[in-house]
Amino acid sequence: LTSEQYGVKRLPFSHVSDSDIAFFEHLIPGRVITDPDELRLFNVDWLQSVRGCSKMLLRPRTAAEISEILRYCNKRKLAVNPQGGNTGLVGGSVPVFDEIIISTALMNQVISFNSVSGILVCQAGCILENLNQYLEELDFIMPLDLGAKGSCHIGGNVATNAGGLRLLRYGSLRGTVLGLEVVLADGSILNCLASLRKDNTGYDLKQLFIGSEGTLGIITAVSILCPRKPKSVNLVFLGCQSFSQVLGTFTTCKGMLGEILSAYEFMDDKCMKLVENHLKLSNPVTGNPFYILIETSGSNTVHDEEKLNNFLEHVMASGLVTDGTVATEDKKIKMLWSLRERITEALTHDGCVYKYDLSLPVERLYDLVIDTRARLGKTAKNVVGYGHLDGNLHLNITAESYSHSLLDAIEPFVYEWTAQYNGSISAEHGLGFKKKHYIQYSKPQEAVLLMQQVKAMLDPKGILNPYKTLPASS
Ligand code: FAD
Ligand code: MLT
Ligand code: ZN
């Protein structure tokens, strides 16, 4: 869809002129892209669901360059769109109209790593998987992991407060990010790049930028606390007959695996069919309505395996789990993870995807999938549920093609359903362009108003990622 189809009007920002292009060419020679063919890829999101028409992409290398860029754009009232790996799922990472794209792709340097404290300081454009590989050689890992790791940037991860597969063990970025360097709309550089575990000097300003989706400032560097690389990793893939067994297995494994539990993911059989049919992956444990992936990470192989075996014996004997397979070697671990991580990709091969990312009380998590399926009947091709057992359901609906009446049947139903249980209409993907009008389902009016005031204070001309995250203030 284009912005016109969404019914959004362009705000009165300046248009990029020849003298603007000349200014940027002088500032960052050879790193100003205006070729329409080259720009195409950066104007469309990963899902290919929203498309902008930016005429210029800038590739700065330093915070000082971003500072000069924003100072100029703010003066000229030119709107900008910060972009990392462009893997965002809510249309926040691409321009809506002709906003200038500021890419962090060339800001990919590690600044420092302290192997005693485990604190990594790096530029915002480092790709998550590259950081993880860098750390693994030093016997550490990143505290977050997600299916988009090969493309997403750490700056984008922080800007979206990405959750992902390791949150259960290492917590959210709100805890592991220790400091940020951010360039504000007027070009000033805010250096909060502390590398301290404890720092109670005034307000914790970095939290404002974590999850702000490029609307309050451009993150240029990140300081993050990284755990040691676990010596022993095991992964089990199990089949369950009902969602209540998925929950029963979860509480059992929290009790029996305790400190070595590092991930607990679930998916329904319809997800499995999608990865089998569209990606030709094979399911090692067929014939179940639900599947779970449990990862353990610890420091002692013998101890971990003994614990895991006791747990498996228990859940099999008690009938919580019907069947399963265990992986200890790297190749099989990767293969099993891909069954879960590649659901997002498989869905894109199934037709038009309606994506929902909800936080709900864990015991209610799958009820929404059942109710949505019943409501939509044959008007949807597939209604699937998967997610993270930290209370995060990914409800996805596919259809052969886009249909307004199907959308009307889904929304606001899904949001109202979520709000009645005090859930969140965006657990980890953010609001971006697509969800900003639904914020009131999860936040009171006073909170939205305060957010708008913070935005107006930090970016009075509204040049940073306009049309995103917050509804326009009245
Ligand atoms: P982009 O997509 O480029 O940008 C996302 C938002 O952040 C935009 O609003 C953009 O303007 C802003 N932004 C980017 N960089 C900066 C910066 N330096 N400063 C300020 N603002 C910036 N998300 C999860 O939470 N958990 C998952 O498990 C997960 N799995 C995924 C799996 C797949 C296959 C895909 C395609 C996506 C997945 N996502 C997941 C969503 C997405 O990968 C994350 O939101 C990711 O953090 C985005 O990073 P990015 O660098 O691609 O950012
Ligand atoms: C996931 O958990 O797989 C991601 O958040 C992506 C998605 O929701 O599809
Ligand atoms: Zn997710």
Side-chain angles (χ1 to χ4, degrees):
L1 284 179
T2 62
S3 29
E4 283 77 17
Q5 285 167 295
Y6 275 104
V8 182
K9 282 215 163 61
R10 187 184 183 280
L11 292 168
F13 294 110
S14 303
H15 292 270
V16 173
S17 67
D18 287 347
S19 63
D20 296 328
I21 297 174
F23 172 85
F24 292 120
E25 255 310 330
H26 181 73
L27 181 70
I28 49 169
R31 289 178 279 137
V32 179
I33 285 135
T34 52
D35 174 37
D37 284 339
E38 265 187 85
L39 283 168
R40 202 158 293 138
L41 208 63
F42 302 93
N43 265 311
V44 65
D45 69 327
W46 188 90
L47 289 168
Q48 306 216 345
S49 61
V50 283
R51 196 179 299 273
C53 54
S54 178
K55 295 181 176 51
M56 183 160 72
L57 173 120
L58 305 176
R59 290 157 70 90
R61 283 208 182 98
T62 63
E65 288 176 351
I66 294 198
S67 163
E68 290 300 319
I69 292 168
L70 287 188
R71 193 187 313 282
Y72 181 88
C73 289
N74 196 45
K75 223 187 290 158
R76 275 272 296 125
K77 211 174 177 217
L78 287 161
V80 303
N81 180 170
Q83 190 177 86
N86 196 11
T87 66
L89 297 172
V90 287
S93 55
V94 291
V96 176
F97 295 98
D98 56 345
E99 298 88 271
I100 298 170
I101 303 170
I102 302 181
S103 165
T104 51
L106 299 183
M107 302 180 66
N108 56 4
Q109 302 297 308
V110 169
I111 297 166
S112 66
F113 179 67
N114 183 316
S115 59
V116 178
S117 64
I119 297 170
L120 171 77
V121 183
C122 66
Q123 282 191 299
C126 293
I127 291 174
L128 179 60
E129 192 170 43
N130 293 351
L131 288 176
N132 203 62
Q133 273 164 8
Y134 167 86
L135 288 172
E136 280 203 11
E137 279 166 26
L138 302 165
D139 227 10
F140 282 79
I141 56 168
M142 287 297 280
L144 78 160
D145 184 23
L146 41 140
K149 56 180 155 273
S151 309
C152 63
H153 297 183
I154 188 68
N157 298 146
V158 174
T160 54
N161 187 24
L165 310 165
R166 290 183 183 157
L167 187 135
L168 189 72
R169 173 70 162 267
Y170 302 115
S172 100
L173 288 170
R174 294 201 180 277
T176 51
V177 170
L178 302 179
L180 291 180
E181 177 189 65
V182 182
V183 181
L184 303 180
D186 66 2
S188 48
I189 301 178
L190 183 68
N191 185 344
C192 290
L193 204 52
S195 292
L196 307 166
R197 294 295 303 276
K198 304 175 83 172
D199 178 16
N200 282 353
T201 50
Y203 305 136
D204 190 358
L205 292 177
K206 70 172 182 287
Q207 295 295 348
L208 211 49
F209 299 95
I210 301 176
S212 68
E213 302 183 78
T215 62
L216 298 180
I218 300 191
I219 297 163
T220 49
V222 176
S223 164
I224 188 165
L225 183 64
C226 303
R228 280 300 288 262
K229 182 180 170 188
K231 285 198 175 61
S232 145
V233 176
N234 295 291
L235 191 64
V236 293
F237 186 80
L238 306 171
C240 290
Q241 283 302 313
S242 69
F243 194 73
S244 71
Q245 292 180 336
V246 173
L247 293 177
T249 308
F250 182 54
T251 47
T252 307
C253 94
K254 281 214 285 192
M256 294 186 73
L257 298 177
E259 77 291 351
I260 62 167
L261 175 65
S262 55
Y264 193 106
E265 298 286 315
F266 77 96
M267 68 206 97
D268 63 18
D269 55 347
K270 288 192 187 300
C271 293
M272 198 52 71
K273 286 271 159 336
L274 293 178
V275 295
E276 284 176 316
N277 293 343
H278 298 303
L279 307 177
K280 307 292 170 227
L281 302 182
S282 63
N283 179 359
V285 186
T286 50
N288 288 273
F290 294 95
Y291 298 96
I292 52 187
L293 263 177
I294 301 174
E295 188 195 68
T296 63
S297 306
S299 56
N300 184 319
T301 314
V302 178
H303 164 268
D304 292 4
E305 281 177 6
E306 190 186 327
K307 269 189 145 174
L308 189 59
N309 289 337
N310 283 343
F311 161 74
L312 289 173
E313 266 170 36
H314 181 83
V315 288
M316 293 289 226
S318 64
L320 279 171
V321 159
T322 51
D323 199 359
T325 180
V326 183
T328 44
E329 76 282 14
D330 235 32
K331 199 166 158 223
K332 189 168 175 193
I333 288 181
K334 282 208 173 75
M335 188 276 284
L336 291 180
W337 264 122
S338 66
L339 292 169
R340 166 65 186 85
E341 288 186 44
R342 294 182 68 191
I343 298 170
T344 318
E345 181 189 341
L347 280 159
T348 64
H349 296 285
D350 203 50
C352 176
V353 188
Y354 301 78
K355 265 190 130 24
Y356 299 92
D357 162 39
L358 314 149
S359 266
L360 289 165
V362 80
E363 63 283 3
R364 288 267 162 214
L365 216 52
Y366 201 73
D367 291 353
L368 177 57
V369 182
I370 294 168
D371 288 0
T372 306
R373 210 172 268 154
R375 180 179 169 85
L376 301 180
K378 288 200 161 45
T379 58
K381 186 174 174 191
N382 275 302
V383 177
V384 311
Y386 56 100
H388 320 280
L389 247 265
D390 49 28
N392 184 180
L393 169 72
H394 294 307
L395 166 71
N396 284 239
I397 297 141
T398 63
E400 288 302 347
S401 59
Y402 175 77
S403 144
H404 213 78
S405 63
L406 179 58
L407 185 64
D408 283 347
I410 304 170
E411 298 178 16
F413 168 77
V414 166
Y415 299 134
E416 284 170 356
W417 201 102
T418 302
Q420 84 184 300
Y421 295 109
N422 300 316
S424 168
I425 63 122
S426 176
E428 58 174 9
H429 296 163
L431 297 167
F433 178 63
K434 294 183 181 174
K435 309 260 158 115
K436 68 169 185 170
H437 288 302
Y438 309 110
I439 190 171
Q440 80 278 2
Y441 285 102
S442 299
K443 289 281 148 59
Q445 209 185 339
E446 295 75 15
V448 178
L449 185 65
L450 190 55
M451 290 186 210
Q452 287 166 331
Q453 287 167 346
V454 170
K455 166 75 178 170
M457 188 188 79
L458 286 176
D459 180 18
K461 295 187 182 175
I463 62 160
L464 287 171
N465 224 4
Y467 324 103
K468 314 278 175 64
T469 310
L470 295 179
S473 39
S474 46

